[in-house]
Amino acid sequence: MPSLDPAVAEVRRAVRSVIGPLGASRIVVALSGGADSLALTAAAVFEAGKSGSNVLAAIVDHGLQPESDAVAQRAADQARALGAEATVLRVDVDSRHPDGPEAGARDARYAALRRCAADEAVAAVLLGHTLDDQAETVLLGLARGSGAASLQGMAPVRQDGDGVRWLRPLLGVRRATTRAFCAASGLEAWDDPHNTDPRYARVRARERVLPVLEEELGPGIAEALARTAEQLREDAEAFDDMIHETIEDIVEHAEAGISVSAAALAANPAALRNRIIRLVVDSEFGVGLTRTQTLEVARLATEWSGQGPTDLPGCSAQRRGGRIVFTAR
């Protein structure tokens, strides 16, 4: 028997590690037709067949490019040829999304996949993000200065409140490997023109910044960035456990809002104090705070000198006696 191509073996092994624990079930794979998701779909079909599972390839047509419907149909045909079922999900992208068209497309895509998962009652949705995608995400988070939460990158496993599980089996696999998988398997991948459009920050990070870092600092930059994300996720999980234990003791519900003990906040290390403030505001009012806003709230505990309320997105924070009270605006 001919030996298995190393790229095929690596991708299958990565997919096996997440499909195996699911047992016999139905799985959705997000398929764009690109090399990453096409390799993921092919490997998922192969591995799912061993456990009696079946795969549904969900192709999201954003309608943002000429003949996008033909691209989506081609991906669906490829999925069926591999042995998967396939469905095309057409979405409307919010062109006025506050974070730009790329974010609007992402939100529309995930909403469609979430609906598909609910309709199909599947165990999980598999996404084709690779180690290179992870490195780009961490690099962009670093450039924004948006803190450890952003530098954690994409989680390999995430479960939403509605029970949908998002799995990224290929976060340890290089993009070159998925391309080699497709070549070895006789699969012709579609190249999204958006992936080479320098108007997008992610494309500039991929095409310009990472190659320079590799050239100037040596090989292995992408792997190092991915390791950084993994280490920060481990730290964040430990912090989250500490935060939830602390919050039970220092947080109380207040009229039209929530309050936190100022003395308890001041007694905690800054990293824990700031995380508590962000978590309380996000949980109660569904908004995220910038670092500047977080530090202004923290000053109500650590540098109290009678200052007035601090205005925040959707709420305000005010010192009342020994507590900091957050109320809706």
Side-chain angles (χ1 to χ4, degrees):
M1 292 180 63
S3 60
L4 187 63
D5 185 272
V8 174
E10 182 178 349
V11 173
R12 285 181 179 177
R13 185 166 56 248
V15 172
R16 186 184 313 135
S17 68
V18 300
I19 285 185
L22 295 176
S25 56
R26 187 166 170 79
I27 300 164
V28 167
V29 177
L31 173 62
S32 67
D36 301 338
S37 62
L38 193 56
L40 175 63
T41 301
V45 170
F46 180 85
E47 296 297 335
K50 298 178 181 179
S51 60
S53 303
N54 58 73
V55 174
L56 171 65
I59 302 98
V60 178
D61 178 5
H62 302 86
L64 296 177
Q65 301 177 38
E67 301 183 355
S68 65
D69 54 342
V71 172
Q73 187 56 55
R74 178 173 177 269
D77 292 341
Q78 287 179 303
R80 295 185 182 106
L82 289 168
E85 299 176 38
T87 182
V88 175
L89 311 172
R90 292 180 172 82
V91 299
D92 294 319
V93 176
D94 180 7
S95 60
R96 298 183 179 180
H97 194 285
D99 295 325
E102 190 175 19
R106 182 181 62 247
D107 287 353
R109 178 167 62 253
Y110 277 99
L113 292 170
R114 185 175 287 107
R115 288 192 299 271
C116 179
D119 292 343
E120 298 290 334
V122 297
V125 178
L126 272 57
L127 304 171
H129 298 111
T130 65
L131 186 147
D132 297 81
D133 295 310
Q134 184 75 300
E136 293 158 12
T137 299
V138 174
L139 187 60
L140 291 171
L142 183 64
R144 289 192 297 267
S146 46
S150 178
L151 298 183
Q152 293 169 39
M154 297 173 285
V157 179
R158 191 186 85 237
Q159 184 160 332
D160 288 347
D162 56 8
V164 177
R165 295 182 69 196
W166 306 90
L167 306 179
R168 295 182 173 92
L170 305 185
L171 280 185
V173 176
R174 295 301 302 263
R175 186 175 292 132
T177 302
T178 64
R179 289 193 172 276
F181 179 108
C182 291
S185 305
L187 299 173
E188 185 177 350
W190 171 66
D191 288 319
D192 185 348
H194 283 172
N195 289 337
T196 57
D197 189 337
R199 290 178 298 173
Y200 298 107
R202 180 175 291 273
V203 173
R204 296 195 298 274
R206 176 185 309 146
E207 301 281 339
R208 301 175 185 175
V209 180
L210 279 169
V212 170
L213 290 176
E214 291 272 356
E215 181 179 348
E216 297 296 332
L217 301 180
I221 294 297
E223 289 87 351
L225 289 168
R227 286 197 304 272
T228 297
E230 185 176 1
Q231 292 164 5
L232 285 171
R233 277 197 304 276
E234 292 173 354
D235 291 347
E237 289 172 3
F239 260 123
D240 286 346
D241 290 341
M242 296 170 63
I243 289 169
H244 285 96
E245 289 178 4
T246 304
I247 281 178
E248 291 180 4
D249 297 327
I250 70 173
V251 172
E252 296 177 359
H253 282 283
E255 185 177 353
I258 198 167
S259 73
V260 184
S261 165
L265 271 183
N268 276 293
L272 192 58
R273 177 168 58 246
N274 294 339
R275 284 173 180 261
I276 291 171
I277 291 169
R278 288 194 295 268
L279 179 60
V280 166
V281 172
D282 182 47
S283 299
E284 186 71 16
F285 304 102
V287 296
L289 299 184
T290 65
R291 178 168 176 79
T292 299
Q293 292 165 340
T294 303
L295 293 178
E296 283 299 307
V297 174
R299 288 183 62 244
L300 297 176
T302 60
E303 301 176 31
W304 172 242
S305 58
Q307 60 263 43
T310 298
D311 288 333
L312 303 169
C315 65
S316 65
Q318 183 175 14
R319 177 78 175 251
R320 294 181 188 170
R323 304 192 72 79
I324 298 173
V325 180
F326 299 86
T327 53
R329 288 197 293 120

